[in-house]
Amino acid sequence: DLKGFLSRELDFYLKNEVLNLEDLEAAGEGLSEGWFQLMRLIKRVGNHIIDFLAQIEEFQKALWEKKKFVTETFYCITVGNIPEDFYPEIAENEAQWEEWKALFHIHELHGGLFSGNLEPKEGRIAFLKAHPTLVLDTRHFSQGFTDRLLASFDNLDEVTDGLLIHGENWQALNLLLEKYRERVKCVYIDPPFNTGKDAFSYKDGYQHSSWMSMIYDRLGILFPLLRSDAVFFASISDHEMAHLKVIGDWFFGEENFLATIEWNATKTSTNTALVSVAHIHNFAWAKDKSYFILNRQNFRLPASLEGFANPDSDPRGPWKADPFQVGGVRPNQQYEIVNPKTGKVYRPNTGCSWKNDYKTFQRLLKEGRIIFGKTGEGAPQRKRYLFEAKERGSVTKTWWDDVGTTADGTRLLQDIFGASVFANPKPVRLLMRISQLGTYEPDQIVLDHFAGSGTTGHAVINLNREDGGRRKVILVEMGEYFDTVLLPRIKKVIFTPEWRDGKPWRLPTKEETERSPRMVKVNRLESYEDALNNITFDEESGHKAMALFKDEYLLRYMLKWEAKKSETLLDVEKLNAPFSYKLHIYRDGEIRDQAVDLPETFNYLIGLDVEKRMVLHDSGCRYLVYRGTMQDGRKVAIVWRETKGWTMSDYRRDAQFIAKRIVTTDVKLFYVNGDTYLRGAQPLDGTFKQAMWRENRAESF
């Protein structure tokens, strides 16, 4: 708010420097008019300067807050979920096989783990059938192949188990607002700890305030994505824990704070003046704590079924035997004593030990809770029921050796990649526990918008394999290691759960294969710097506007008016060629022209759950068709095609083709890009522009 700040500063200056009360009183009324004239002059000039500077800031703010384009979309799909009709084409794609050799080392491993000849086409097809968790990357295939492959899925978003976004996390959350509003069940973040040792940059002298602004802004844009029963977890060190607690309480409310879980992050303590620090704080908030009270979901870890059975058909359900414990001593921990002189054997009198808790023992015996097992000589054993184990499964506030350390996370990545690729990653078991606590149904969404090396994604994949769930995961990361660590890691752990020295250690079991992710979608986003690089100025429009607005033009309207046709601001006149809409994108050290994914961007902006994506052709024209459901339940159909240079006869042919080939009788909204003769269809151009610049409702809480 530069304008507000400078306006207040100008008023302060005028009151204290120009209209000094002591000087006015000493000079008398005769000179006061001159001072007031000076004040009016300074204020008029100052307001002009403020208006000009505010115009620049408002323009920058608009560039930051506008929804960013999806610049690239591709899919990673396990071959077991691809129809076998596609296998011959996959077998002939050398780029894909080279990636599998580099990632999965399929050409190096012994025949006990891999078998078959990978050179002939028939051998490769047999290999695909034998290894259904191989991850196909659509970037290695033609657009036609990808179109046909995606069209083979009847509910595209439903079978997409993961979404990876390469982009700045505020921009990513801003783009996801409409599609995922109030749908995210569990959030975990591991933000920069702001210790000066991480890669987070901040202004000199404003370290804490800049860090707090970053967290505050992202919680503000995240909050509308959360379900009413959502849980938010955040890892933090002592350095910023107090600030994070204040910000979290501001958004969620102090009454919704659940716990501070202390995690033993490292076995090597950091020595301070008085104590050695080896722990990390994991804060947990509920969006609405009353949900957990009403639904009795008090952070319980589900008990394992292992060892529980019901051989006597007990109405209380499965149980297993535990030795009856009295005074901290179990009968099977009492041993015979042999007199070395006489050889007499003294056996523990288990009956006497029960007397220490005789009343409890008698009560449990009457309730049928005591059985006599093989431990000791007729030692009593207590029935421990599965439902009781679950009740006692409430987690403690201290997690030490049972969830691993950062050293475990580092070793795991070294096993996966065969080298050290990322500093201080969180252990997978920590994120498995958090994901398990945060989700109680198998298809709920876990989000991590500080994804780092991808540990949260790895944990969700492992957890689904363990309990058969279908949790979906959204990961957001802007670092260059998205392509070198995060994405390869997700591909590798989809292929198989265990690695050694960068190579697969074993093949997944049948159950693990069936529970592996089916499809992961990857989006790259336009950055703020890309938006700046794509600003162009239309001087001809500027001259016309100057004649209209006179002197006010340069001060208030110049930037917005002259830049309005910039591609980054969505030039709707160019939507007649949607597959050729390009931006100057900075990637890999250079700026290059790249076609952006307008259809994918539009789907996010209107909040569309895609059910069917298909491509049709007519007279050399490609039709990209989406069918899906809006968040309010309305059915939608969207048709994209190139209409640049069309005549009236082209539009007539277009209307006839769409009416014949695309069923729209069940849809409430039918969008097409550009003009159309088709009755019932509406141009999407205005909706696109409005949604692109719609002020986000992130502060709605």
Side-chain angles (χ1 to χ4, degrees):
D1 184 22
L2 183 63
K3 185 173 184 177
F5 169 75
L6 292 179
S7 296
R8 292 189 297 271
E9 291 297 304
L10 178 60
D11 288 343
F12 181 84
Y13 174 77
L14 292 173
K15 293 173 184 177
N16 290 274
E17 300 295 334
V18 179
L19 296 181
N20 186 288
L21 294 179
E22 294 181 358
D23 291 344
L24 281 172
E25 185 178 6
E29 296 179 2
L31 296 177
S32 63
E33 182 61 29
W35 264 311
F36 280 106
Q37 288 180 355
L38 177 62
M39 181 194 71
R40 285 191 290 268
L41 177 61
I42 292 175
K43 188 168 186 177
R44 183 166 67 248
V45 174
N47 282 333
H48 285 326
I49 295 172
I50 291 172
D51 285 341
F52 182 72
L53 295 176
Q55 176 189 194
I56 297 173
E57 189 198 48
E58 288 299 316
F59 188 70
Q60 290 178 306
K61 180 181 177 182
L63 285 181
W64 174 263
E65 291 189 341
K66 86 172 187 77
K67 306 297 192 295
K68 297 300 184 289
F69 287 109
V70 176
T71 60
E72 184 181 9
T73 303
F74 59 94
Y75 292 82
C76 300
I77 309 172
T78 49
V79 298
N81 290 286
I82 297 175
E84 293 186 4
D85 293 346
F86 290 92
Y87 284 14
E89 293 175 83
I90 299 173
E92 294 176 346
N93 189 298
E94 293 299 330
Q96 181 63 83
W97 288 88
E98 288 301 316
E99 180 185 90
W100 287 340
K101 290 178 181 178
L103 278 180
F104 306 147
H105 298 269
I106 60 175
H107 60 301
E108 297 180 16
L109 302 181
H110 57 80
L113 203 56
F114 292 89
S115 59
N117 188 348
L118 299 184
E119 294 306 319
K121 182 177 179 180
E122 293 75 13
R124 289 185 171 184
I125 292 175
F127 187 83
L128 294 174
K129 294 179 180 179
H131 300 88
T133 56
L134 283 167
V135 183
L136 178 142
D137 190 325
T138 59
R139 288 179 296 176
H140 299 308
F141 295 82
S142 67
Q143 185 64 63
F145 176 92
T146 301
D147 288 341
R148 288 185 288 111
L149 177 57
L150 296 180
S152 68
F153 297 96
D154 290 329
N155 202 331
L156 191 61
D157 278 2
E158 178 61 29
V159 299
T160 301
D161 296 313
L163 172 61
L164 313 182
I165 299 180
H166 188 201
E168 200 279 330
N169 53 15
W170 192 93
Q171 308 291 358
L173 296 175
N174 193 29
L175 183 64
L176 297 178
L177 268 178
E178 296 307 317
K179 182 175 176 65
Y180 290 99
R181 187 175 294 274
E182 297 183 351
R183 297 177 70 181
V184 175
K185 178 63 176 69
C186 175
V187 177
Y188 170 79
I189 63 170
D190 180 22
F193 287 179
N194 201 17
T195 60
K197 298 178 182 179
D198 47 47
F200 177 62
S201 58
Y202 34 70
K203 297 178 181 178
D204 292 337
Y206 296 93
Q207 295 184 12
H208 292 299
S209 63
S210 292
W211 188 91
M212 292 174 73
S213 293
M214 178 192 70
I215 298 298
Y216 180 90
D217 290 343
R218 280 142 191 82
L219 278 185
I221 203 78
L222 167 73
F223 202 82
L225 298 175
L226 302 180
R227 293 169 33 149
S228 58
D229 59 348
V231 191
F232 174 83
F233 296 90
S235 292
I236 198 67
S237 68
D238 290 344
H239 197 65
E240 291 288 0
M241 67 167 294
H243 296 139
L244 179 61
K245 180 65 166 60
V246 170
I247 296 171
D249 285 345
W250 171 264
F251 281 98
F252 293 97
E254 288 186 66
E255 69 279 6
N256 288 316
F257 181 69
L258 295 172
T260 303
I261 303 168
E262 302 297 341
W263 166 53
N264 189 32
T266 175
K267 295 184 182 299
T268 304
S269 302
T270 301
N271 292 321
T272 63
L274 292 174
V275 296
S276 293
V277 179
H279 64 275
I280 294 295
H281 313 284
N282 290 290
F283 288 143
W285 284 272
K287 189 175 183 181
D288 183 356
K289 192 175 182 178
S290 64
Y291 175 86
F292 294 88
I293 297 173
L294 293 173
N295 290 272
R296 302 178 60 83
Q297 186 200 349
N298 299 316
F299 282 131
R300 301 191 190 282
L301 288 172
S304 170
L305 290 172
E306 184 178 354
F308 288 88
N310 196 355
D312 58 354
S313 301
D314 193 298
R316 286 161 289 196
W319 55 271
K320 65 181 178 180
D322 271 0
F324 185 74
Q325 185 171 346
V326 179
V329 178
R330 292 182 177 180
N332 62 334
Q333 292 176 326
Q334 300 174 359
Y335 302 96
E336 297 176 342
I337 298 175
V338 179
N339 188 315
K341 293 183 178 180
T342 65
K344 186 177 179 180
V345 178
Y346 297 89
R347 290 185 173 86
N349 187 341
T350 54
C352 294
S353 66
W354 304 337
K355 293 178 181 179
N356 296 330
D357 197 8
Y358 186 73
K359 289 183 179 180
T360 301
F361 173 74
Q362 288 294 323
R363 177 177 59 81
L364 295 177
L365 189 62
K366 290 179 180 178
E367 293 175 358
R369 300 291 295 275
I370 295 293
I371 60 172
F372 291 88
K374 297 180 180 179
T375 304
E377 293 185 357
Q381 293 178 288
R382 178 176 179 173
K383 281 185 177 180
R384 182 160 67 96
Y385 291 92
L386 178 61
F387 74 88
E388 293 176 323
K390 288 184 176 181
E391 286 297 311
R392 291 198 300 270
S394 298
V395 298
T396 64
K397 293 176 63 175
T398 54
W399 297 352
W400 298 129
D401 297 331
D402 56 338
V403 294
T405 66
T406 54
D408 296 314
T410 299
R411 281 192 293 271
L412 179 62
L413 277 185
Q414 289 175 339
D415 284 338
I416 293 173
F417 288 93
S420 179
V421 294
F422 196 87
N424 299 319
K426 296 295 185 288
V428 168
R429 280 184 291 163
L430 172 70
L431 272 300
M432 287 178 67
R433 175 169 291 185
I434 286 175
S435 299
Q436 190 177 44
L437 290 175
T439 57
Y440 59 86
E441 291 178 359
D443 59 347
Q444 293 174 335
I445 297 174
V446 179
L447 168 66
D448 182 352
H449 55 276
F450 287 93
S453 67
T455 304
T456 301
H458 189 163
V460 170
I461 292 171
N462 279 8
L463 189 58
N464 284 341
R465 281 172 168 162
E466 281 192 5
D467 65 13
R470 277 292 179 192
R471 298 169 187 83
K472 297 180 183 295
V473 65
I474 301 174
L475 304 180
V476 181
E477 180 54 57
M478 68 178 294
E480 61 184 18
Y481 40 84
F482 180 93
D483 287 298
T484 58
V485 179
L486 189 152
L487 180 57
R489 178 183 191 173
I490 296 301
K491 288 181 177 181
K492 281 172 171 279
V493 297
I494 289 175
F495 178 58
T496 189
E498 291 192 36
W499 294 77
R500 297 289 188 275
D501 299 322
K503 299 178 181 179
W505 185 247
R506 66 172 175 85
L507 290 178
T509 64
K510 180 181 178 182
E511 290 75 16
E512 289 169 337
T513 297
E514 293 172 349
R515 297 171 179 177
S516 294
R518 295 159 291 184
M519 183 185 305
V520 173
K521 181 167 71 173
V522 184
N523 290 137
R524 298 192 198 277
L525 301 187
E526 171 195 18
S527 68
Y528 175 67
E529 291 73 22
D530 291 332
L532 290 175
N533 288 335
N534 284 277
I535 295 296
T536 56
F537 294 95
D538 183 357
E539 294 184 7
E540 182 178 350
S541 296
H543 292 316
K544 295 179 182 178
M546 190 177 296
L548 178 65
F549 296 111
K550 306 298 182 183
D551 294 341
E552 296 294 304
Y553 174 73
L554 290 175
L555 297 178
R556 298 181 178 178
Y557 304 110
M558 178 183 67
L559 289 175
K560 186 180 295 185
W561 190 276
E562 293 191 13
K564 66 180 181 179
K565 291 189 176 181
S566 300
E567 279 80 358
T568 189
L569 305 181
L570 186 62
D571 185 356
V572 294
E573 294 180 2
K574 295 184 178 180
L575 289 183
N576 59 3
F579 309 129
S580 306
Y581 196 98
K582 294 183 178 181
L583 293 178
H584 307 303
I585 302 296
Y586 181 81
R587 293 289 184 273
D588 303 324
E590 63 179 9
I591 295 178
R592 55 176 179 261
D593 287 344
Q594 181 172 322
V596 301
D597 195 337
L598 293 182
E600 183 78 6
T601 306
F602 185 71
N603 290 344
Y604 279 120
L605 294 181
I606 65 173
L608 184 70
D609 278 345
V610 177
E611 295 165 4
K612 192 72 174 178
R613 179 193 185 276
M614 59 183 179
V615 173
L616 305 173
H617 295 273
D618 180 57
S619 302
C621 180
R622 177 175 180 257
Y623 287 79
L624 177 58
V625 183
Y626 287 92
R627 294 177 60 88
T629 306
M630 302 271 278
Q631 299 311 305
D632 59 8
R634 289 180 294 174
K635 293 289 186 180
V636 181
I638 308 170
V639 176
W640 296 84
R641 71 270 199 258
E642 299 267 355
T643 63
K644 187 175 182 180
W646 274 14
T647 63
M648 294 178 64
S649 61
D650 293 312
Y651 283 107
R652 293 191 186 96
R653 174 199 54 78
D654 170 73
Q656 293 173 358
F657 177 76
I658 294 176
K660 181 179 179 180
R661 296 293 305 275
I662 302 173
V663 178
T664 59
T665 54
D666 60 332
V667 302
K668 295 295 184 182
L669 286 173
F670 183 22
Y671 288 115
V672 296
N673 68 298
D675 298 326
T676 181
Y677 283 177
L678 189 66
R679 182 175 299 177
Q682 62 184 71
L684 59 80
D685 307 15
T687 303
F688 203 153
K689 187 78 171 182
Q690 183 182 18
M692 197 86 174
W693 292 94
R694 181 192 300 123
E695 184 176 356
N696 72 66
R697 292 175 281 161
E699 301 294 332
S700 61
F701 62 90

